[in-house]
Short mmCIF file of all heavy atoms in Angstrom, two decimals:
data_model
loop_
_atom_site.label_atom_id
_atom_site.label_comp_id
_atom_site.label_asym_id
_atom_site.label_seq_id
_atom_site.Cartn_x
_atom_site.Cartn_y
_atom_site.Cartn_z
N LYS A 1 -22.29 23.47 -187.27
CA LYS A 1 -21.57 23.38 -188.54
C LYS A 1 -22.13 22.36 -189.50
O LYS A 1 -21.60 22.17 -190.60
CB LYS A 1 -20.11 23.05 -188.26
CG LYS A 1 -19.35 24.13 -187.47
CD LYS A 1 -17.94 23.72 -187.17
CE LYS A 1 -17.18 24.74 -186.37
NZ LYS A 1 -15.82 24.34 -186.05
N GLY A 2 -23.19 21.65 -189.09
CA GLY A 2 -23.80 20.63 -189.91
C GLY A 2 -23.08 19.29 -189.79
O GLY A 2 -23.33 18.41 -190.61
N ASP A 3 -22.25 19.11 -188.81
CA ASP A 3 -21.48 17.90 -188.62
C ASP A 3 -22.27 17.01 -187.66
O ASP A 3 -22.17 17.13 -186.43
CB ASP A 3 -20.08 18.20 -188.07
CG ASP A 3 -19.23 16.98 -188.00
OD1 ASP A 3 -19.65 15.88 -188.46
OD2 ASP A 3 -18.11 17.06 -187.45
N VAL A 4 -23.03 16.11 -188.20
CA VAL A 4 -23.85 15.13 -187.41
C VAL A 4 -23.65 13.77 -187.99
O VAL A 4 -23.30 13.58 -189.16
CB VAL A 4 -25.35 15.53 -187.43
CG1 VAL A 4 -25.60 16.83 -186.70
CG2 VAL A 4 -25.89 15.63 -188.88
N PRO A 5 -23.89 12.70 -187.22
CA PRO A 5 -23.71 11.34 -187.75
C PRO A 5 -24.78 11.04 -188.79
O PRO A 5 -25.96 11.36 -188.64
CB PRO A 5 -23.87 10.46 -186.49
CG PRO A 5 -24.62 11.26 -185.49
CD PRO A 5 -24.24 12.68 -185.80
N ARG A 6 -24.32 10.41 -189.88
CA ARG A 6 -25.24 10.03 -190.95
C ARG A 6 -24.84 8.66 -191.48
O ARG A 6 -23.71 8.27 -191.39
CB ARG A 6 -25.14 11.04 -192.09
CG ARG A 6 -25.77 12.42 -191.80
CD ARG A 6 -27.27 12.29 -191.84
NE ARG A 6 -27.89 13.64 -191.66
CZ ARG A 6 -28.42 14.08 -190.53
NH1 ARG A 6 -28.42 13.27 -189.45
NH2 ARG A 6 -28.98 15.26 -190.49
N SER A 7 -25.81 7.96 -192.01
CA SER A 7 -25.58 6.60 -192.57
C SER A 7 -26.31 6.55 -193.92
O SER A 7 -27.51 6.58 -194.01
CB SER A 7 -26.11 5.52 -191.64
OG SER A 7 -26.06 4.26 -192.31
N ARG A 8 -25.50 6.52 -195.00
CA ARG A 8 -26.06 6.44 -196.36
C ARG A 8 -26.84 5.10 -196.51
O ARG A 8 -27.88 5.10 -197.20
CB ARG A 8 -24.93 6.51 -197.38
CG ARG A 8 -24.19 7.83 -197.38
CD ARG A 8 -23.06 7.77 -198.39
NE ARG A 8 -22.25 8.98 -198.34
CZ ARG A 8 -21.16 9.17 -199.09
NH1 ARG A 8 -20.75 8.21 -199.92
NH2 ARG A 8 -20.49 10.28 -198.98
N GLU A 9 -26.39 4.08 -195.91
CA GLU A 9 -27.03 2.81 -196.06
C GLU A 9 -28.42 2.82 -195.38
O GLU A 9 -29.35 2.26 -195.92
CB GLU A 9 -26.17 1.67 -195.45
CG GLU A 9 -24.71 1.75 -195.78
CD GLU A 9 -24.45 1.88 -197.22
OE1 GLU A 9 -25.22 1.31 -198.04
OE2 GLU A 9 -23.47 2.55 -197.62
N LEU A 10 -28.51 3.49 -194.25
CA LEU A 10 -29.79 3.59 -193.58
C LEU A 10 -30.75 4.40 -194.42
O LEU A 10 -31.97 4.05 -194.57
CB LEU A 10 -29.63 4.22 -192.21
CG LEU A 10 -30.89 4.39 -191.36
CD1 LEU A 10 -31.52 3.02 -191.05
CD2 LEU A 10 -30.60 5.14 -190.07
N THR A 11 -30.26 5.49 -195.03
CA THR A 11 -31.12 6.32 -195.87
C THR A 11 -31.58 5.53 -197.10
O THR A 11 -32.76 5.57 -197.47
CB THR A 11 -30.35 7.55 -196.32
OG1 THR A 11 -29.88 8.27 -195.21
CG2 THR A 11 -31.21 8.46 -197.23
N MET A 12 -30.67 4.81 -197.77
CA MET A 12 -31.03 4.03 -198.93
C MET A 12 -32.03 2.91 -198.56
O MET A 12 -32.99 2.63 -199.29
CB MET A 12 -29.80 3.39 -199.58
CG MET A 12 -30.08 2.62 -200.83
SD MET A 12 -28.59 2.01 -201.63
CE MET A 12 -27.79 3.55 -202.08
N THR A 13 -31.85 2.31 -197.41
CA THR A 13 -32.80 1.25 -196.97
C THR A 13 -34.17 1.83 -196.75
O THR A 13 -35.20 1.27 -197.16
CB THR A 13 -32.28 0.62 -195.68
OG1 THR A 13 -30.97 0.08 -195.88
CG2 THR A 13 -33.23 -0.51 -195.24
N GLY A 14 -34.23 3.02 -196.10
CA GLY A 14 -35.53 3.63 -195.86
C GLY A 14 -36.24 4.01 -197.18
O GLY A 14 -37.42 3.84 -197.30
N VAL A 15 -35.46 4.49 -198.14
CA VAL A 15 -36.05 4.87 -199.45
C VAL A 15 -36.58 3.61 -200.17
O VAL A 15 -37.68 3.64 -200.71
CB VAL A 15 -35.02 5.57 -200.30
CG1 VAL A 15 -35.56 5.79 -201.74
CG2 VAL A 15 -34.64 6.94 -199.71
N MET A 16 -35.80 2.54 -200.15
CA MET A 16 -36.22 1.32 -200.80
C MET A 16 -37.48 0.75 -200.17
O MET A 16 -38.42 0.32 -200.86
CB MET A 16 -35.09 0.31 -200.76
CG MET A 16 -33.90 0.67 -201.58
SD MET A 16 -34.06 0.34 -203.35
CE MET A 16 -33.86 -1.49 -203.32
N LEU A 17 -37.50 0.71 -198.83
CA LEU A 17 -38.68 0.15 -198.15
C LEU A 17 -39.93 1.02 -198.39
O LEU A 17 -41.03 0.51 -198.61
CB LEU A 17 -38.39 0.07 -196.66
CG LEU A 17 -37.38 -1.02 -196.22
CD1 LEU A 17 -37.08 -0.91 -194.76
CD2 LEU A 17 -37.91 -2.40 -196.55
N SER A 18 -39.77 2.36 -198.38
CA SER A 18 -40.89 3.26 -198.61
C SER A 18 -41.38 3.10 -200.03
O SER A 18 -42.62 3.05 -200.25
CB SER A 18 -40.45 4.71 -198.37
OG SER A 18 -40.02 4.88 -197.05
N GLY A 19 -40.50 3.03 -201.02
CA GLY A 19 -40.93 2.88 -202.39
C GLY A 19 -41.61 1.56 -202.62
O GLY A 19 -42.68 1.49 -203.31
N ALA A 20 -41.09 0.48 -202.05
CA ALA A 20 -41.71 -0.84 -202.19
C ALA A 20 -43.11 -0.86 -201.58
O ALA A 20 -44.07 -1.40 -202.14
CB ALA A 20 -40.84 -1.90 -201.60
N SER A 21 -43.22 -0.28 -200.43
CA SER A 21 -44.50 -0.27 -199.73
C SER A 21 -45.55 0.52 -200.49
O SER A 21 -46.71 0.11 -200.65
CB SER A 21 -44.37 0.31 -198.31
OG SER A 21 -43.43 -0.43 -197.54
N PHE A 22 -45.13 1.68 -201.04
CA PHE A 22 -46.04 2.48 -201.86
C PHE A 22 -46.53 1.75 -203.08
O PHE A 22 -47.74 1.74 -203.39
CB PHE A 22 -45.31 3.77 -202.23
CG PHE A 22 -46.16 4.71 -203.03
CD1 PHE A 22 -47.00 5.64 -202.41
CD2 PHE A 22 -46.18 4.69 -204.43
CE1 PHE A 22 -47.82 6.48 -203.18
CE2 PHE A 22 -46.95 5.52 -205.17
CZ PHE A 22 -47.77 6.45 -204.52
N ILE A 23 -45.63 1.08 -203.77
CA ILE A 23 -46.01 0.36 -204.96
C ILE A 23 -46.96 -0.78 -204.62
O ILE A 23 -47.96 -1.02 -205.36
CB ILE A 23 -44.76 -0.14 -205.73
CG1 ILE A 23 -43.96 1.06 -206.26
CG2 ILE A 23 -45.16 -1.12 -206.85
CD1 ILE A 23 -42.64 0.65 -206.87
N LEU A 24 -46.67 -1.53 -203.55
CA LEU A 24 -47.49 -2.68 -203.22
C LEU A 24 -48.93 -2.28 -202.82
O LEU A 24 -49.91 -2.87 -203.20
CB LEU A 24 -46.84 -3.49 -202.12
CG LEU A 24 -45.60 -4.29 -202.49
CD1 LEU A 24 -44.97 -4.94 -201.33
CD2 LEU A 24 -45.94 -5.34 -203.57
N PHE A 25 -48.99 -1.21 -202.01
CA PHE A 25 -50.35 -0.79 -201.50
C PHE A 25 -51.19 -0.06 -202.54
O PHE A 25 -52.39 -0.11 -202.51
CB PHE A 25 -50.18 0.07 -200.26
CG PHE A 25 -49.82 -0.68 -199.03
CD1 PHE A 25 -48.55 -0.51 -198.46
CD2 PHE A 25 -50.70 -1.56 -198.48
CE1 PHE A 25 -48.21 -1.24 -197.29
CE2 PHE A 25 -50.38 -2.26 -197.33
CZ PHE A 25 -49.12 -2.13 -196.73
N LEU A 26 -50.53 0.59 -203.52
CA LEU A 26 -51.25 1.41 -204.46
C LEU A 26 -51.02 0.94 -205.92
O LEU A 26 -51.14 1.70 -206.88
CB LEU A 26 -50.81 2.88 -204.35
CG LEU A 26 -51.10 3.56 -203.04
CD1 LEU A 26 -50.56 4.98 -202.97
CD2 LEU A 26 -52.59 3.56 -202.70
N SER A 27 -50.70 -0.35 -206.07
CA SER A 27 -50.45 -0.87 -207.41
C SER A 27 -51.66 -0.82 -208.30
O SER A 27 -51.59 -0.51 -209.50
CB SER A 27 -49.95 -2.29 -207.35
OG SER A 27 -50.85 -3.13 -206.68
N VAL A 28 -52.87 -1.09 -207.74
CA VAL A 28 -54.07 -1.11 -208.52
C VAL A 28 -54.46 0.27 -209.03
O VAL A 28 -54.68 0.49 -210.24
CB VAL A 28 -55.25 -1.76 -207.76
CG1 VAL A 28 -56.55 -1.67 -208.50
CG2 VAL A 28 -54.95 -3.21 -207.41
N PRO A 29 -54.60 1.31 -208.16
CA PRO A 29 -54.95 2.64 -208.69
C PRO A 29 -53.87 3.18 -209.65
O PRO A 29 -54.16 3.87 -210.61
CB PRO A 29 -55.09 3.49 -207.44
CG PRO A 29 -54.47 2.74 -206.33
CD PRO A 29 -54.60 1.33 -206.72
N ILE A 30 -52.60 2.93 -209.35
CA ILE A 30 -51.53 3.42 -210.25
C ILE A 30 -51.68 2.73 -211.62
O ILE A 30 -51.55 3.39 -212.67
CB ILE A 30 -50.16 3.13 -209.66
CG1 ILE A 30 -49.91 4.00 -208.41
CG2 ILE A 30 -49.06 3.43 -210.67
CD1 ILE A 30 -48.61 3.76 -207.71
N ALA A 31 -51.95 1.43 -211.62
CA ALA A 31 -52.07 0.71 -212.91
C ALA A 31 -53.25 1.24 -213.67
O ALA A 31 -53.21 1.46 -214.89
CB ALA A 31 -52.19 -0.77 -212.64
N ASN A 32 -54.38 1.46 -213.03
CA ASN A 32 -55.58 1.98 -213.74
C ASN A 32 -55.31 3.37 -214.33
O ASN A 32 -55.72 3.65 -215.46
CB ASN A 32 -56.75 2.06 -212.76
CG ASN A 32 -57.18 0.68 -212.31
OD1 ASN A 32 -56.98 -0.34 -212.98
ND2 ASN A 32 -57.85 0.59 -211.13
N ARG A 33 -54.59 4.22 -213.58
CA ARG A 33 -54.29 5.54 -214.09
C ARG A 33 -53.33 5.48 -215.27
O ARG A 33 -53.49 6.23 -216.26
CB ARG A 33 -53.68 6.37 -212.96
CG ARG A 33 -53.34 7.79 -213.37
CD ARG A 33 -54.55 8.60 -213.73
NE ARG A 33 -54.23 9.91 -214.22
CZ ARG A 33 -54.10 10.99 -213.41
NH1 ARG A 33 -54.32 10.82 -212.12
NH2 ARG A 33 -53.78 12.14 -213.88
N LEU A 34 -52.36 4.57 -215.22
CA LEU A 34 -51.41 4.42 -216.32
C LEU A 34 -52.13 3.90 -217.55
O LEU A 34 -51.85 4.34 -218.68
CB LEU A 34 -50.26 3.47 -215.92
CG LEU A 34 -49.26 4.01 -214.95
CD1 LEU A 34 -48.27 2.94 -214.56
CD2 LEU A 34 -48.56 5.24 -215.49
N VAL A 35 -53.08 2.98 -217.39
CA VAL A 35 -53.84 2.46 -218.54
C VAL A 35 -54.65 3.60 -219.17
O VAL A 35 -54.70 3.72 -220.41
CB VAL A 35 -54.81 1.35 -218.06
CG1 VAL A 35 -55.76 0.97 -219.20
CG2 VAL A 35 -53.96 0.11 -217.69
N GLU A 36 -55.26 4.46 -218.34
CA GLU A 36 -56.01 5.57 -218.88
C GLU A 36 -55.07 6.54 -219.65
O GLU A 36 -55.41 7.02 -220.73
CB GLU A 36 -56.72 6.31 -217.74
CG GLU A 36 -57.82 5.49 -217.11
CD GLU A 36 -58.44 6.30 -215.94
OE1 GLU A 36 -58.05 7.45 -215.77
OE2 GLU A 36 -59.32 5.70 -215.24
N ASP A 37 -53.87 6.78 -219.08
CA ASP A 37 -52.95 7.70 -219.75
C ASP A 37 -52.48 7.10 -221.07
O ASP A 37 -52.39 7.84 -222.07
CB ASP A 37 -51.77 7.96 -218.85
CG ASP A 37 -52.13 8.76 -217.62
OD1 ASP A 37 -53.19 9.37 -217.62
OD2 ASP A 37 -51.36 8.77 -216.61
N PHE A 38 -52.18 5.79 -221.09
CA PHE A 38 -51.73 5.17 -222.32
C PHE A 38 -52.86 5.18 -223.36
O PHE A 38 -52.61 5.49 -224.55
CB PHE A 38 -51.30 3.71 -222.04
CG PHE A 38 -49.96 3.63 -221.42
CD1 PHE A 38 -49.75 2.61 -220.47
CD2 PHE A 38 -48.96 4.50 -221.72
CE1 PHE A 38 -48.55 2.51 -219.87
CE2 PHE A 38 -47.71 4.36 -221.07
CZ PHE A 38 -47.47 3.39 -220.12
N SER A 39 -54.06 4.92 -222.92
CA SER A 39 -55.20 4.88 -223.87
C SER A 39 -55.41 6.25 -224.50
O SER A 39 -55.63 6.40 -225.71
CB SER A 39 -56.46 4.39 -223.17
OG SER A 39 -56.27 3.09 -222.66
N SER A 40 -55.44 7.28 -223.65
CA SER A 40 -55.66 8.65 -224.18
C SER A 40 -54.51 9.13 -225.01
O SER A 40 -54.72 9.85 -226.00
CB SER A 40 -55.89 9.60 -223.01
OG SER A 40 -54.75 9.64 -222.16
N SER A 41 -53.31 8.66 -224.71
CA SER A 41 -52.13 9.08 -225.49
C SER A 41 -52.10 8.44 -226.89
O SER A 41 -51.68 9.04 -227.85
CB SER A 41 -50.86 8.83 -224.79
OG SER A 41 -50.84 9.50 -223.51
N LEU A 42 -52.52 7.19 -226.97
CA LEU A 42 -52.50 6.47 -228.21
C LEU A 42 -53.75 6.62 -229.10
O LEU A 42 -53.78 6.17 -230.19
CB LEU A 42 -52.28 4.98 -227.91
CG LEU A 42 -50.99 4.62 -227.21
CD1 LEU A 42 -50.92 3.16 -226.90
CD2 LEU A 42 -49.76 5.00 -228.06
N ARG A 43 -54.75 7.29 -228.51
CA ARG A 43 -55.98 7.50 -229.25
C ARG A 43 -55.93 8.91 -229.89
O ARG A 43 -55.79 9.92 -229.19
CB ARG A 43 -57.17 7.40 -228.33
CG ARG A 43 -58.52 7.39 -229.05
CD ARG A 43 -59.66 6.99 -228.10
NE ARG A 43 -59.65 7.70 -226.82
CZ ARG A 43 -59.43 7.14 -225.69
NH1 ARG A 43 -59.16 5.82 -225.58
NH2 ARG A 43 -59.44 7.87 -224.58
N ILE A 44 -56.06 8.97 -231.25
CA ILE A 44 -55.97 10.25 -231.98
C ILE A 44 -57.32 10.52 -232.66
O ILE A 44 -57.89 9.66 -233.32
CB ILE A 44 -54.87 10.20 -233.03
CG1 ILE A 44 -53.51 9.84 -232.38
CG2 ILE A 44 -54.75 11.51 -233.77
CD1 ILE A 44 -52.39 9.67 -233.37
N ASP A 45 -57.80 11.72 -232.45
CA ASP A 45 -59.06 12.12 -233.12
C ASP A 45 -58.84 12.21 -234.62
O ASP A 45 -57.81 12.66 -235.10
CB ASP A 45 -59.48 13.48 -232.53
CG ASP A 45 -60.89 13.82 -233.03
OD1 ASP A 45 -61.85 13.35 -232.37
OD2 ASP A 45 -60.97 14.54 -234.04
N ARG A 46 -59.83 11.74 -235.37
CA ARG A 46 -59.72 11.65 -236.82
C ARG A 46 -59.44 13.02 -237.45
O ARG A 46 -58.71 13.14 -238.43
CB ARG A 46 -60.99 11.06 -237.37
CG ARG A 46 -60.93 10.70 -238.81
CD ARG A 46 -62.07 9.85 -239.20
NE ARG A 46 -61.85 9.24 -240.49
CZ ARG A 46 -62.41 8.11 -240.95
NH1 ARG A 46 -63.26 7.51 -240.14
NH2 ARG A 46 -62.15 7.62 -242.12
N SER A 47 -60.07 14.04 -236.87
CA SER A 47 -59.94 15.37 -237.49
C SER A 47 -58.57 15.95 -237.30
O SER A 47 -58.23 16.96 -237.91
CB SER A 47 -61.00 16.28 -236.89
OG SER A 47 -60.85 16.40 -235.52
N LYS A 48 -57.74 15.38 -236.39
CA LYS A 48 -56.45 15.95 -236.05
C LYS A 48 -55.29 15.12 -236.60
O LYS A 48 -54.12 15.31 -236.24
CB LYS A 48 -56.30 16.16 -234.57
CG LYS A 48 -57.35 17.07 -233.96
CD LYS A 48 -57.12 17.23 -232.50
CE LYS A 48 -58.16 18.20 -231.92
NZ LYS A 48 -57.99 18.33 -230.41
#
């Protein structure tokens, strides 16, 4: 029936730890990609 023990706090803790670990280990490539996206978005070709 789908009745199994669950802990919302455990789920939230796992999500927070996973997100924090991802950001810390990949902060450099994410930052470089964001800089490229910002640069290309703010740069407008003269003809357009």
